Amino acid sequence: MRRVASRRNATVDKLERRLKDDAGRIEVRISPELDERLRASLEAAEPVRSPVPVSRPRWFWWASSLTGAASALLVIVLVNLGPAPEAPPTVTAQPLSMPALDVRPAVMLGPLESELDNLKRDFARAEAVVREDVDQIFGDSDP
Amino acid sequence: MQTESELIRKAKAGSVPAFTTLVARYREGLLRFLVTRCASFADAEDALQDTLVNAYRYLDSYDPAWRFSTWLYRIAIRNALRLKDHHTVQLLDLADNQSGPLEQCIADQAGRNLWVTARRELSDEVFTAVWLRYAEDMSIKDIAAALERSSSWTKVNLLRGRRLLASAMEAATDETGGVEEERNCG
């Protein structure tokens, strides 16, 4: 078990080194043409300023609140002034005679419940492994 | 020598030279990242231009609680995604002929570059997380912020990416009979 863990750590170290090395092998450079293009596009760009909140007089808020309340009242009054809608006809269902059935519940849940328990245990084991790996690899590197 | 916060303050006031100096140290890193994410070198250059212009235009909304590089990468990731949506057909072509901008920019073709494998094996987000961690040395917190994900998501997906790449690397080592391993261990 310990040998597997140390082999895994060695692979991880090698992987990190390889990723860093291979990233360094990707050669890109900003050509003079691209540099000029970037400079020109920045010169042409206009910064977007965050909108400054406009302060409005106190009466403005009172007036808008009153207008809103008055509109709501008007709508309520108009809706209630109209004729009341007719009630839909009531349908009465005839009672059905049920045949007498001897119903017994089938015992089918037992295997499913044990399977669910097994799955939960597998999931908990897998979660513990992932947590251990995450803590081992990233736990100390970040605050 | 002006500090980053001074340059940001001047750039926010509208100084293009201050902004140019501010982003000068990040431009090549951003272009290298965009080359791995875009369908062509021209697209990567366009995405870099869009990233810098957007950063300049919206610098007023930059929150100094974040590292400036994290904010820049966040914009770059969005631009790369937008370009990818526009060029899905080109990306499909790239998968067939295996000659994308990433392959063209690899200096040492003697061995297989692991980032080519990563590009093929990992999803965009996991690839980006792995890139930011190992090529840019970003912290988990910064990667999570750049990807707009939680730290837990970032850790788990970094782990997933590493496992996939470690398997790919071991398989390649087995195939080449240890030659690959010697190359990397010096």
Side-chain angles (χ1 to χ4, degrees), chain B residues 145-156:
Chain B
L147 287 172
E148 299 173 68
R149 293 284 195 169
S150 69
S151 289
S152 307
W153 184 95
T154 307
K155 283 182 182 178
V156 169

Side-chain angles (χ1 to χ4, degrees), chain A residues 11-12 14 16 18-20 22-23 25-27 35 37 46 48-50 133 137 141-142, chain B residues 12 27 32 46 49 57 60 105 107 112-115 133 137 140 162-163 170 180-181 184:
Chain A
T11 307
V12 163
K14 219 186 312 176
E16 288 185 12
R18 172 89 185 264
L19 286 172
K20 281 187 203 305
D22 282 2
R25 288 195 180 98
I26 301 170
E27 281 192 354
D35 187 46
R37 201 173 111 193
E46 278 293 319
V48 176
R49 302 282 173 213
S50 307
D133 283 354
I137 298 170
S141 58
D142 276 338
Chain B
K12 273 187 177 180
R27 291 193 314 178
R32 185 176 290 117
D46 287 348
Q49 181 179 349
R57 291 191 68 212
D60 213 32
C105 290
R112 188 88 173 135
N113 192 304
L114 202 52
W115 290 107
R133 180 73 178 174
D137 278 329
I140 300 287
R162 288 166 65 116
R163 280 180 177 170
E170 280 188 347
E180 190 87 343
E181 193 172 349
N184 295 301

Side-chain angles (χ1 to χ4, degrees), chain B residues 47-174:
Chain B
L48 176 67
Q49 181 179 349
D50 289 349
T51 300
L52 296 183
V53 168
N54 285 346
Y56 177 66
R57 291 191 68 212
Y58 295 98
L59 192 60
D60 213 32
S61 66
Y62 165 66
D63 179 0
W66 290 18
R67 283 172 59 188
F68 186 69
S69 58
T70 306
W71 188 67
L72 271 183
Y73 272 96
R74 189 167 169 161
I75 299 171
I77 290 165
R78 284 184 187 167
N79 279 320
L81 267 178
R82 191 176 48 79
L83 273 175
K84 189 186 170 191
D85 289 345
H86 286 186
H87 298 289
T88 311
V89 177
Q90 282 188 27
L91 280 172
L92 290 175
D93 293 345
L94 171 67
D96 289 339
N97 61 30
Q98 298 291 314
S99 60
L102 175 58
E103 286 82 353
Q104 288 162 16
C105 290
I106 294 170
D108 178 13
Q109 294 282 4
R112 188 88 173 135
N113 192 304
L114 202 52
W115 290 107
V116 176
T117 311
R119 194 71 195 92
R120 200 181 53 236
E121 299 289 334
L122 308 179
S123 69
D124 280 347
E125 274 194 312
V126 178
F127 175 88
T128 303
V130 175
W131 177 271
L132 295 180
R133 180 73 178 174
Y134 299 109
E136 300 294 335
D137 278 329
M138 273 196 190
S139 68
I140 300 287
K141 192 179 147 205
D142 284 335
I143 298 169
L147 287 172
E148 299 173 68
R149 293 284 195 169
S150 69
S151 289
S152 307
W153 184 95
T154 307
K155 283 182 182 178
V156 169
N157 280 280
L158 270 175
L159 182 71
R160 187 175 292 167
R162 288 166 65 116
R163 280 180 177 170
L164 265 169
L165 291 178
S167 315
M169 196 171 82
E170 280 188 347
T173 307
D174 291 344

Side-chain angles (χ1 to χ4, degrees), chain A residues 72-136:
Chain A
L73 269 176
L74 185 67
V75 169
I76 290 167
V77 167
L78 286 177
V79 166
N80 285 301
L81 275 181
E86 285 179 20
T90 311
V91 179
T92 313
Q94 297 294 323
L96 289 174
S97 61
M98 291 293 292
L101 295 174
D102 181 16
V103 181
R104 278 171 295 183
V107 185
M108 296 175 73
L109 291 177
L112 285 176
E113 279 173 356
S114 69
E115 187 60 28
L116 181 63
D117 287 342
N118 289 339
L119 285 173
K120 279 179 180 169
R121 271 197 294 277
D122 287 349
F123 181 77
R125 269 199 295 272
E127 191 181 7
V129 169
V130 170
R131 273 187 197 284
E132 189 187 324
D133 283 354
V134 164
D135 287 346
Q136 192 180 346

Side-chain angles (χ1 to χ4, degrees), chain A residues 1-19:
Chain A
M1 186 74 174
R2 191 174 290 172
R3 279 181 64 188
V4 171
S6 68
R7 184 164 181 245
R8 196 172 57 190
N9 286 345
T11 307
V12 163
D13 290 345
K14 219 186 312 176
L15 177 72
E16 288 185 12
R17 205 165 55 229
R18 172 89 185 264
L19 286 172

